[in-house]
């Protein structure tokens, strides 16, 4: 298995990248923060290496895929995890924030897929995109509108790729709450949030029942991604949902 994991310097992408390598895959770990990727590659073992890439920069995506494909000898799987989720009510979101969110969460996925497509076509490989329960399984969460709109766009993007390229298996992986692992493997998704606003909105999310109060384990996440990519293009898994089971009543 020759895999590329984008967004592997932090949180879920890092867990998936190191986890796949520890299960025997050869993995290119990609993101912007190279020092963190180098640490992840060390943790992952001999079969992983770090490649710096900014998914909002087309030249960077092409160069990173070309370098990885050469080093891996081809690509069997692309896993796309980058996303940003600015916490703000829609009325307070400026154009620059909208653009940055679309560039990272949607455009980056399109550019990485275009660059990887010839390799995935040759290997009859798989492409997996991390989406969110907040974009498809609940009404939009107040304060996360920009994130949710881009995840909904990502979901359609995955469908559109599938229609044009049936020889590659495209999977939308809908993920529920997951804190990731420890250290750099912990999610950094909320690091930039205004904590006062987060507390205010968090009360609404809990009251509406959007937050299950339970989390997906890293092992389950890696196991799911490993299963999807090992299926290859002969298995169709258009959507996989990985949500925590509601806590059992006491
Ligand atoms: N955590 C959850 O509970 C949860 C729930 C549902 C879905 N998800 C999805 O899971 C994915 C990962 O989330 P997370 O919680 O692990 O977030 P995270 O810790 O913030 O990780 C985001 C990753 O994306 C990378 N990234 C951001 N901008 C980039 C860019 N321009 N170019 C390249 N890489 C970029 C970051 O690396 P650099 O900054 O080093 O570039 C980092 O590795 C996201 O798609 C998120 O929507 C998470």
């Amino acid at each position: 298995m020759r895999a590329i994991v984008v967004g592997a310097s932090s949180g879920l992408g890092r867990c998936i990248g190191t986890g796949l390598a520890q299960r025997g895959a050869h993995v290119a770990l990609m993101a912007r923060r190279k020092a963190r990727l180098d640490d992840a590659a060390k943790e992952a073992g001999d079969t992983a290496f770090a490649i710096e890439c900014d998914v909002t920069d087309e030249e960077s995506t092409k160069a990173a895929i070309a370098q990885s494909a050469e080093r891996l000898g081809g690509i069997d799987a692309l896993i796309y995890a980058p996303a940003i989720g600015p916490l703000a009510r829609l009325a307070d979101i400026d154009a620059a924030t909208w653009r940055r969110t679309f560039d990272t969460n949607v455009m980056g996925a399109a550019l990485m897929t275009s660059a990887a497509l010839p390799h995935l076509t040759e290997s009859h490989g798989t492409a997996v995109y991390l989406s969110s329960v907040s974009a498809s399984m609940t009404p939009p969460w107040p304060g996360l509108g920009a994130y949710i709109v881009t995840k909904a766009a990502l979901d359609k993007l995955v469908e559109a790729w599938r229609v044009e390229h049936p020889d590659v298996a495209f999977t939308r992986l809908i993920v529920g709450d997951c804190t990731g692992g420890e250290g750099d493997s912990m999610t950094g998704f909320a690091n930039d949030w205004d904590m006062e606003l987060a507390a205010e909105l968090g009360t609404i999310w809990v009251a509406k029942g959007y937050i299950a109060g339970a989390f997906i384990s890293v092992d389950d996440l890696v196991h799911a991604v490993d299963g999807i990519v090992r299926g290859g293009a002969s298995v169709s898994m258009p959507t996989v949902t990985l949500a925590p089971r509601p806590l059992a009543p006491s």
Side-chain angles (χ1 to χ4, degrees):
M1 171 59 55
R2 302 160 298 177
I4 288 177
V5 180
V6 196
S9 63
S10 169
L12 279 53
R14 191 182 191 281
C15 294
I16 293 167
T18 54
L20 291 181
Q22 285 159 359
R23 287 165 183 240
H26 292 256
V27 184
L29 303 167
M30 290 188 190
R32 294 167 300 183
R33 287 171 289 178
K34 179 70 164 47
R36 288 178 67 132
L37 290 175
D38 287 335
D39 287 346
K42 263 186 222 144
E43 185 183 317
D46 292 346
T47 59
F49 57 92
I51 301 270
E52 197 174 328
C53 175
D54 180 348
V55 300
T56 67
D57 174 342
E58 187 170 10
E59 288 313 310
S60 175
T61 61
K62 285 181 180 167
I65 291 286
Q67 228 180 312
S68 304
E70 191 177 343
R71 199 150 162 197
L72 292 167
I75 302 171
D76 300 306
L78 169 71
I79 294 108
Y80 191 85
I84 54 171
L87 186 75
R89 292 189 171 88
L90 291 173
D92 299 324
I93 301 178
D94 60 17
T97 304
W98 274 113
R99 286 198 189 98
R100 200 163 48 89
T101 311
F102 264 100
D103 283 353
T104 308
N105 301 4
V106 186
M107 194 90 81
L111 294 176
M112 290 304 284
T113 309
S114 296
L117 190 70
H119 306 286
L120 293 172
T121 302
E122 193 180 337
S123 64
H124 297 293
T126 56
V128 181
Y129 305 80
L130 270 62
S131 191
S132 167
V133 293
S134 61
S136 49
M137 297 177 69
T138 67
W141 302 21
L144 278 181
Y147 170 71
I148 287 165
V149 167
T150 58
K151 284 296 182 187
L154 176 73
D155 291 351
K156 272 292 169 201
L157 177 71
V158 177
E159 275 184 51
W161 274 109
R162 187 180 304 122
V163 167
E164 291 191 13
H165 296 278
D167 41 358
V168 173
F170 292 95
T171 298
R172 165 176 73 138
L173 177 58
I174 302 176
V175 182
D177 289 338
C178 182
T179 56
E182 290 175 0
D184 287 352
S185 287
M186 188 182 290
T187 176
F189 189 75
N191 283 358
D192 295 336
W193 287 4
D194 169 344
M195 281 304 143
E196 227 171 274
L197 180 60
E200 190 187 317
L201 293 167
T203 311
I204 301 171
W205 301 342
V206 171
K208 288 184 179 287
Y210 299 161
I211 294 180
F215 298 91
I216 294 159
S217 80
V218 166
D219 279 352
D220 287 339
L221 176 69
V222 174
H223 186 65
V225 175
D226 191 45
I228 296 166
V229 297
R230 284 190 192 283
S234 58
V235 181
S236 173
M237 284 190 259
T239 299
V240 172
T241 303
L242 201 62
R245 250 180 225 282
L247 295 174
S250 50

